[in-house]
Amino acid sequence: MVREIVASAPGKVNLHLGVGEARADGYHDLVSVFHAVDRRETVRLAVVGEPGAGPVVESMRTTFFVDRPGEDIDGPKNLAWRAVEAVAARAGVALPKVRIEVDKRVFVAGGMAGGSADAAAALVAANALAAEYGAALPPEALHEFAASLGADVPFALAGGTALGTGRGDELAPMLSRGRLHWVFVNPKIGIPTGEAFSLLDDLRHTNPALVPHLNTAELSQALTAGDATRVAAALHNDLEAPALQMRPVLRGLLEAAGEAGRRAVVSGSGPTVAVLCDDAEHARWAAEHLAAEFDGAEVFVAEGPDGGAVVERVC
Ligand code: C5P
């Protein structure tokens, strides 16, 4: 019988993040261009018991290849834990108890959707476990669970480059040619996502320049043409203004990153800064340069687009 299932899912950067109106459900309508990068989270389900009734997750352990957060994240509230239980409950057959082991390579609370990637990888891993017991769920069910776990989880499932509307969870794949080479710099000055969105609402009352940017036509054409110079010029994030207001030190990093690379933007709600470079060598150079200049920041290079959540191994 199956002993272990390993799955992975990508981190992301928003090439465009346009924030529209606040909605009644506490979310905002978005027009987002998501781009998956080859910095991936790994989720392993290790079978530790026989099939039986009740919860399937026995325990969880995260190994950090980035800086660990102050608090313990290995509990039933973790999105990966909730993803496995959701699939198991819907599967409708007895599944064996599992231990979840996460290898974390995407910054924690950095604006790159690392937690969402854990959830997406856990969903496909749990579905592979259900399949071993003849109870695999259809892709629509996984997408539905993904959207219920968080606005960024459906994209972590899908990967590639995609237009996200609604809360960001209604996805349409986008054409893109060529590879984009990135450096990601996390200055570790935590920005709570919900606070960034609500500060943007406040700032819009007094600053008429902060209109929602909902047009992605130029970016879309630049991606289709595979023209990195045009992609760089078209990068945009409506959440950059609240991020800079909340954490003014981010401005210096953004400026230095923009000089080291071709263009720098805040990733998602931040505080990670994404730096688009000309090629892999330029990215390596910019990474070394920024790591030296911003002592204490975490830095890695990555390329995109990369694939979505996938089962790597069943044994
Ligand atoms: O989906 P997730 O839990 O990552 O979102 C965290 C918070 O970010 C939400 O509670 C909400 O305040 C804000 N958010 C938003 N509109 C979105 C996505 C997130 O206002 N489309």
Side-chain angles (χ1 to χ4, degrees):
M1 248 5 254
V2 61
R3 287 177 290 126
E4 167 178 286
I5 294 169
V6 180
S8 72
K12 64 87 185 159
V13 55
N14 302 78
L15 305 182
H16 179 95
L17 183 48
V19 180
E21 299 293 311
R23 315 185 333 175
D25 65 1
Y27 280 83
H28 290 70
D29 277 321
L30 302 182
V31 173
S32 170
V33 176
F34 292 107
H35 178 76
V37 294
D38 63 356
R39 182 84 178 184
R40 299 179 70 88
E41 298 281 270
T42 304
V43 172
R44 189 176 307 105
L45 301 184
V47 172
V48 293
E50 298 299 316
V56 293
V57 181
E58 179 230 45
S59 62
M60 173 169 182
R61 193 187 64 203
T62 300
T63 304
F64 291 90
F65 297 89
V66 286
D67 283 6
R68 61 168 60 239
E71 74 278 20
D72 183 12
I73 61 167
D74 293 331
K77 282 197 196 145
N78 189 293
L79 290 183
W81 186 305
R82 288 167 51 199
V84 173
E85 292 296 0
V87 170
R90 177 74 72 87
V93 295
L95 295 178
K97 292 233 178 292
V98 297
R99 183 175 64 242
I100 303 175
E101 293 167 1
V102 176
D103 284 352
K104 186 159 266 305
R105 295 192 169 80
V106 177
F107 300 139
V108 179
M112 292 189 69
S116 298
D118 296 343
L123 282 173
V124 299
N127 205 33
L129 181 66
E132 292 291 314
Y133 290 81
L137 302 180
E140 307 82 69
L142 289 193
H143 181 89
E144 183 194 312
F145 285 139
S148 72
L149 289 165
D152 286 340
V153 185
F155 177 72
L157 211 48
T161 304
L163 182 69
T165 53
R167 293 186 314 158
D169 53 1
E170 293 162 25
L171 298 173
M174 287 175 75
L175 288 176
S176 79
R177 275 175 58 204
R179 310 284 297 159
L180 296 177
H181 297 269
W182 300 92
V183 179
F184 293 94
V185 185
N186 178 13
K188 293 183 284 178
I189 44 173
I191 297 179
T193 305
E195 284 178 33
F197 276 97
S198 57
L199 179 57
L200 177 61
D201 291 338
D202 293 345
L203 294 174
R204 279 179 170 162
H205 290 305
T206 51
N207 186 344
L210 295 177
V211 289
H213 286 68
L214 306 179
N215 187 340
T216 57
E218 167 56 21
L219 175 61
S220 169
Q221 284 168 21
L223 287 167
T224 309
D227 185 337
T229 308
R230 272 176 77 191
V231 171
L235 297 173
H236 176 80
N237 185 352
D238 277 351
L239 289 179
E240 201 157 280
L244 287 170
Q245 174 103 1
M246 286 164 84
R247 304 284 184 268
V249 300
L250 207 48
R251 193 172 293 280
L253 171 56
L254 259 182
E255 279 168 12
E259 277 164 27
R262 194 182 273 274
R263 177 96 197 277
V265 280
V266 170
S267 178
S269 59
T272 296
V273 168
V275 193
L276 185 55
C277 295
D278 294 335
D279 51 32
E281 201 182 324
H282 182 203
R284 271 195 301 277
W285 174 85
E288 274 176 33
H289 176 79
L290 291 167
E293 186 170 349
F294 293 90
D295 198 23
E298 297 185 88
V299 182
F300 59 69
V301 297
E303 280 181 37
D306 205 39
V310 65
V311 175
E312 307 267 359
R313 193 165 73 238
V314 178
C315 59

